[in-house]
Amino acid sequence: MCSPILTMSGISKAFTGVQALKDVNFQLRAGEVHALMGENGAGKSTLMKVLIGVHKADEGHITYQGNSIEYSSVLDAQKAGISMIFQELNLIPHLSVAENIFFAREPLKHGLVDYKTMRHEASKLLDMFDIDVKPTDIVNTLSVAKQQMVEIAKSLSFDVEILIMDEPTSALTDKEIDALFVLVEKLKSRGVAIVYISHRMDELKRICDHITIFRDGQYVSNHRFNEISMDDIIAKMVGRTLDNHFPEKKAAVTDEMILSAMNVTRFGVFKPLNFDLRKGEILAITGLVGAKRTELARALFGADRLSDGELFVHGEKKTIKTPSDAIKAGVAYLSEDRKLNGVAVKMSIRENTTMASMDKVSSRLGIISTKSETEAAKQYIDKMAIKTPTVEQIVGNLSGGNQQKVVIGKWLFRDAKVMIFDEPTRGIDVGAKYAIYELLDELACQGVGVIMISSELPEVLGMSDRVIVMKEGEMTAMLNTADTSQEEIMQYATGVKNMFPLLEEAI
């Protein structure tokens, strides 16, 4: 076995009372894909951010290519051959794809940016992924999946020796994942070392050579991937076995209608849709990238305007033109991109918990009661089992799973009648997923209407009572999950089958 290209020894790091890493060791060799596994908050991303200069270690030593290193910025690490694809998108939305890829290092000609060369080089990188994105496309016009691919191309635009991928496939289709894995194999053959952080076990089976497991900020064990079982990985990650991936459903579905949508339409985006949500039910919406699931959710929440149709909440017609209208009607939306639309990352848990319900923590004169905010935040920290030392913890310092819990707590405090979850477990580990699943069922038990948008078919089948399947803005099926399968759902998602063919002809 060759010598390590990277050695991290005795790394410790704390954030305002939270010990994120404690005496962690890690080694990486050229030409291998090395998985980092652990629950959210276990320290995986933090360790890599210490490596690339985002955080400075409190203790420990790093050796790269035989030299002791300590980078002061991400750019310094990239210039040295170490790039990281972050879990949360890190692009500048109003700039083009090419400008994002070469930001702060644009090719120059006679002292001016050489846009022709920059676009040509960007095209070569994008062609490696075989995706339909132009260098001139503005990033905020792209889907989340394509933005993720731009992130990958940006990282590979450096002459990488170590490439760190933090949940790189969370917003990608199966085809895009296959293209990514082809690229990973090419990079391996060139001797590039890849650190792969993911909670998708099926992916790790396909590409990983080694695995290092963390729990609660500490190193647990290191294995060749083909020498450890998935059950053993999970047990080491969470400190216990998870016999069932989904909790037993306790909510009982009744005939009482919580939400009814009649011919809801957004011209040019999705066609007329009719569905209802019953008390005790978890209704899933699934489909491939481009199915317009998120667009439907945003329209129901008033973030985008419906062109036509009617909405009823508990039998009462509601006119929802803005998010404020939706909140007043009792409709809440938990977005896929929680950092962009879900939480205020620079504010505390206390402030985030109450920001949608200021009337509940303010006097008649509009003066906010910090005491009331603190009590509310403590209630949902306990209820959601949020890992934090205090209600004043800045949300941006929490793990992805705990950030998601803060968002849910915010809407629970608002007493929402309908909660729309857009990819609620994206980027969340198996242990935290189980906790979210239990919460969804608990909400359904309490009479809250739960709509769950998910790309993970096992999650759809394991958690929902019915599933709406969409393809390119059209509902192709409404299925009872107990009576269907992943294969049948995919037939409707790809257009092989359509339960409502007459609808398409009538439009």
Side-chain angles (χ1 to χ4, degrees), residues 183-311:
L183 179 63
V184 166
E185 291 298 329
K186 290 180 181 177
L187 293 171
K188 281 180 61 177
S189 68
R190 288 169 44 189
V192 175
I194 297 171
V195 180
Y196 198 87
I197 303 173
S198 177
H199 300 111
R200 296 183 174 186
M201 297 291 188
D202 54 331
E203 293 180 4
L204 303 181
K205 291 179 183 178
R206 291 174 60 183
I207 62 169
C208 288
D209 303 299
H210 285 82
I211 179 172
T212 294
I213 301 170
F214 295 88
R215 185 171 67 245
D216 297 330
Q218 299 184 63
Y219 168 89
V220 174
S221 59
N222 176 328
H223 310 268
R224 289 192 62 85
F225 199 85
N226 59 7
E227 295 175 356
I228 185 170
S229 70
M230 291 298 160
D231 287 341
D232 285 343
I233 291 173
I234 292 173
K236 288 177 180 291
M237 282 172 54
V238 302
R240 63 189 187 282
T241 60
L242 288 177
D243 298 324
N244 298 306
H245 293 291
F246 303 99
E248 182 180 353
K249 197 172 188 305
K250 298 176 182 177
V253 180
T254 71
D255 292 331
E256 181 182 341
M257 295 298 174
I258 294 178
L259 174 73
S260 293
M262 299 178 63
N263 291 317
V264 292
T265 311
R266 181 166 168 78
F267 296 146
V269 181
F270 55 84
K271 298 176 181 180
L273 299 171
N274 293 276
F275 61 91
D276 52 55
L277 175 64
R278 296 170 289 185
K279 185 176 181 179
E281 179 180 43
I282 296 177
L283 176 66
I285 303 177
T286 195
L288 303 176
V289 171
K292 308 302 182 184
R293 301 162 301 169
T294 293
E295 288 80 355
L296 170 60
R298 285 176 56 84
L300 294 176
F301 186 62
D304 297 323
R305 186 71 67 89
L306 283 171
S307 305
D308 199 3
E310 297 179 320
L311 287 172

